[in-house]
């Protein structure tokens, strides 16, 4: 039996972008034992993933002792293949430490050459999940090559998380669900717009006063603003709530990742920063508009999905051309409200059958 280790230590969005790789790997090697190494806070995203046989974890701020202990453990597992879908110095070290005869990772940096026996140089403007599938393709023969059209992200949740989401919405959202499901078989949706205006990365934060203005305009359309945030981001959410006024839904008990995914599936719309909640919203199928600064929006937006829209800066940090609605400004805080609102309005118009009753009520 082949033993395979996939390494993707962190960030919620990056872990979700790895799930198509896991699915295609399982299809190619149905009898293999497939495990994934991530940081502890990524475990909830993978606990119900049917393509994994095991999850190994590191502390979020792993030091040298943690790395050495993990390296010893990985060595004992005697993996045949290691797929490093992150290719950081830390993950490259762990890949070599496994002693696996086949080590696959992204090339492009000199220190990656000795770390991996098979390399693939990523293209910066490609969708991240597609990049990871092309990485996997380097190990598979033509008969098992991944289907590049199959890019669905996997985040199955348990019934307890669905019940928690339903209870949350009934306690915190106004009225009752009045919009059809975002996807066939999904839950009915409330007249609520999820606004994500915080981030641990300052360069990802669109100004609160701008997002508050978007929230006020959506409220006039009949969509109540729901302020999405995580642990340690409460004060930033309260500041946004102060700008929005009493309609803002905030100061609620924080749900876990799985319950938040189900809560977002019950919202009408998502608008806000690039980040984990944006990926959960996209995964749930709800219409979304994200505002991007220094990163390629194409890397984090599923291609050819008409419900996923974005506005980006024309930042000089992007060396490749960006297709789509770019504002000729170099910083995220300079992206004007009007530019984002135009994209939101187009999305509302394109999804008119879903929003017609709520728009009529809000006028």
């Amino acid at each position: 039996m082949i033993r395979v280790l996939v390494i993707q230590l962190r960030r919620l969005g990056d872990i979700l972008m790895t799930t198509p790789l896991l699915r295609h790997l399982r299809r190619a090697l149905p009898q293999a034992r497939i495990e994934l190494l991530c940081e502890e806070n990524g475990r909830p995203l993978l606990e119900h993933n049917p393509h994994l046989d095991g999850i190994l974890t590191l502390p979020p701020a792993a030091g040298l002792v943690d790395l050495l202990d993990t390296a010893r453990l990985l060595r004992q597992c005697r993996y045949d293949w290691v797929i490093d879908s992150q290719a950081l110095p830390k993950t490259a070290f762990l890949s070599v430490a496994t002693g696996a005869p086949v080590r696959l990772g992204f090339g492009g940096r000199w220190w990656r050459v000795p770390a991996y026996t098979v390399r693939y140089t990523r293209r910066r403007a490609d969708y991240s999940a597609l990049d990871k599938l092309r990485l996997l393709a380097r190990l598979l023969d033509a008969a098992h090559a991944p289907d590049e059209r199959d890019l669905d992200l996997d985040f199955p949740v348990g019934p307890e998380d669905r019940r928690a989401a339903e209870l949350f919405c009934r306690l915190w959202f106004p009225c009752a669900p009045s919009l059809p499901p975002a996807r066939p078989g999904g839950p009915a949706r409330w007249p609520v717009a999820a606004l994500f205006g915080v981030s641990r990365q300052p360069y990802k934060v669109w100004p609160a006063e701008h997002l508050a203005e978007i929230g006020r305009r959506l409220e006039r359309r009949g969509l109540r603003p729901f302020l999405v945030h995580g642990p340690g981001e409460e004060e930033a959410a309260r500041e946004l709530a102060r700008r929005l006024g009493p309609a803002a839904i905030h100061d609620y008990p924080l749900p876990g990742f799985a319950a938040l995914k189900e809560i977002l599936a019950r919202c009408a719309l998502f608008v806000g920063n690039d980040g984990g909640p944006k990926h959960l919203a996209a995964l749930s199928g709800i219409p979304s508009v994200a505002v991007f600064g220094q990163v390629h929006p194409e890397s984090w937006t599923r291609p050819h999905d008409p419900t996923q829209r974005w506005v980006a800066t024309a930042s000089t940090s992007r060396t490749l051309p960006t297709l789509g609605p770019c504002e000729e400004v170099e910083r995220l805080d300079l992206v004007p409200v009007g530019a984002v609102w135009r994209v939101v309005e187009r999305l509302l118009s394109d999804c008119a059958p879903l929003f017609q009753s709520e728009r009529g009520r809000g006028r």
Side-chain angles (χ1 to χ4, degrees):
M1 178 180 67
I2 294 179
R3 297 197 65 170
V4 183
L5 176 69
V6 178
I7 302 177
Q8 179 64 58
L9 293 186
R10 59 185 167 87
R11 297 200 183 131
L12 189 154
D14 294 277
I15 292 174
L16 288 174
M17 293 289 174
T18 307
T19 58
L21 180 153
L22 298 175
R23 183 171 64 252
H24 286 274
L25 181 61
R26 175 59 70 193
R27 287 177 185 168
L29 302 174
Q31 304 304 318
R33 178 171 179 82
I34 302 172
E35 298 175 344
L36 186 139
L37 174 67
C38 64
E39 290 183 349
E40 182 60 41
N41 53 15
R43 178 184 285 274
L45 304 181
L46 301 164
E47 284 179 329
H48 298 284
N49 191 299
H51 310 300
L52 282 174
D53 298 300
I55 303 170
L56 306 173
T57 60
L58 271 174
L64 180 59
V65 173
D66 297 306
L67 285 177
L68 293 176
D69 287 344
T70 301
R72 281 191 288 269
L73 172 64
L74 297 179
R75 188 82 174 192
Q76 294 168 5
C77 292
R78 303 180 67 84
Y79 293 107
D80 299 288
W81 291 5
V82 171
I83 303 173
D84 181 357
S85 66
Q86 202 164 9
L88 301 173
K90 183 188 300 185
T91 59
F93 164 74
L94 292 172
S95 298
V96 173
T98 65
V102 176
R103 302 186 302 275
L104 173 64
F106 289 108
R109 298 286 180 86
W110 68 265
W111 50 265
R112 293 172 181 168
V113 174
Y116 309 120
T117 62
V118 182
R119 289 174 294 279
Y120 168 72
T121 300
R122 71 177 88 201
R123 297 166 57 186
R124 284 185 60 201
D126 277 346
Y127 184 48
S128 178
L130 178 59
D131 245 352
K132 294 175 190 292
L133 280 192
R134 289 174 174 167
L135 173 69
L136 175 63
R138 299 281 299 196
L139 281 183
L140 304 178
D141 58 32
H144 297 99
D147 181 353
E148 293 188 357
R149 298 166 298 177
D150 181 6
L151 295 171
D152 287 345
L153 307 182
D154 292 325
F155 186 9
V157 303
E160 67 282 1
D161 291 305
R162 287 191 289 273
R163 287 193 294 268
E166 190 70 24
L167 178 60
F168 180 99
C169 294
R170 294 193 180 280
L171 288 174
W172 289 91
F173 289 177
C175 306
S178 56
L179 296 172
R183 288 183 174 172
R189 295 180 295 155
W190 267 258
V192 167
L195 303 183
F196 179 52
V198 298
S199 176
R200 291 182 175 84
Q201 307 293 333
Y203 68 86
K204 288 188 174 184
V205 180
W206 198 44
E209 61 268 24
H210 292 2
L211 189 58
E213 176 59 26
I214 296 291
R216 285 188 289 270
R217 296 183 188 188
L218 288 171
E219 188 184 354
R220 291 195 287 271
R221 294 290 187 99
L223 299 177
R224 186 87 173 264
F226 162 49
L227 309 188
V228 179
H229 64 90
E233 299 169 341
E234 291 86 353
E235 186 50 44
R238 291 188 190 107
E239 173 60 26
L240 181 56
R242 284 191 287 270
R243 295 173 183 274
L244 268 166
I249 301 168
H250 70 108
D251 272 345
Y252 47 79
L254 290 180
F257 286 145
L260 178 59
K261 178 236 179 181
E262 292 297 309
I263 292 167
L264 290 173
R266 291 160 170 78
C267 294
L269 179 74
F270 172 94
V271 183
N273 301 327
D274 172 37
K278 179 262 183 190
H279 297 297
L280 292 181
L283 178 60
S284 301
I286 69 169
S288 302
V289 176
V291 189
F292 287 86
Q294 296 181 14
V295 299
H296 281 276
E298 297 96 334
S299 298
W300 304 106
T301 307
R302 177 168 171 155
H304 314 303
D305 185 341
T307 68
Q308 306 303 305
R309 311 287 175 89
W310 47 264
V311 179
T313 65
S315 172
T316 55
S317 66
R318 287 197 296 271
T319 58
L320 298 176
T322 298
L323 303 176
C326 281
E327 292 298 304
E328 291 298 324
V329 295
E330 292 190 359
R331 299 198 319 267
L332 187 60
D333 62 301
L334 298 177
V335 174
V337 170
V340 176
W341 181 246
R342 284 192 293 272
V343 177
V344 172
E345 280 200 306
R346 283 198 296 271
L347 184 59
L348 291 172
S349 176
D350 292 346
C351 298
L354 299 183
F355 292 103
Q356 184 174 8
S357 61
E358 296 306 322
R359 289 212 313 273
R361 184 184 307 168
R363 288 185 184 277

